[in-house]
Amino acid sequence: MDIPTEEHQPDWKSLQRQVAIHTETLRKLKMVKMYRTKNNLLDLEVLIEKWRSACQTALMELHQRLPEPRPTMGTLITDWKIDPDLLNFDPDGDSFT
């Protein structure tokens, strides 16, 4: 490869920066493509629902095993710092939706 002359040096550096930027963009796009191919969004939704159901069941079983007086389910979830929205928990009705 020819070594650029001094008069072309700024252009050469600019081109190198552009190549680096485009290379990084291409790398990110390839990662997104791989993620989307590997992780089918419908499959993820099914897995999320399974996880949510298992978590709700485990919390209900744990709540039943606690000694009297039991805290409310909402208090249990809050004390464990679990986001109620992730569990589809209704704090007003103190139940899962």
Side-chain angles (χ1 to χ4, degrees):
M1 177 171 214
D2 293 336
I3 298 174
T5 61
E6 284 185 31
E7 66 187 52
H8 291 67
Q9 197 70 19
D11 293 338
W12 180 254
K13 288 185 180 193
S14 173
L15 288 172
Q16 285 179 319
R17 279 193 299 271
Q18 287 179 356
V19 167
I21 289 169
H22 291 304
T23 301
E24 179 63 14
T25 302
L26 182 60
R27 184 188 70 79
K28 289 178 181 178
L29 288 171
K30 284 181 178 179
M31 284 177 46
V32 168
K33 180 183 176 192
M34 180 198 64
Y35 175 80
R36 287 183 178 167
T37 302
K38 182 179 175 184
N39 299 310
N40 182 341
L41 294 181
L42 293 175
D43 292 342
L44 287 176
E45 283 297 321
V46 169
L47 291 174
I48 289 169
E49 194 53 44
K50 280 184 181 180
W51 174 87
R52 182 177 290 127
S53 176
C55 189
Q56 289 173 349
T57 301
L59 281 168
M60 288 187 288
E61 288 179 15
L62 173 65
H63 188 256
Q64 290 300 316
R65 292 178 186 213
L66 290 174
E68 293 290 343
R70 290 186 189 110
T72 64
M73 182 65 77
T75 302
L76 183 64
I77 290 171
T78 303
D79 288 350
W80 282 24
K81 296 180 180 21
I82 301 171
D83 183 354
D85 292 334
L86 291 176
L87 300 172
N88 289 342
F89 181 76
D90 175 21
D92 296 329
D94 203 46
S95 63
F96 298 104
T97 56

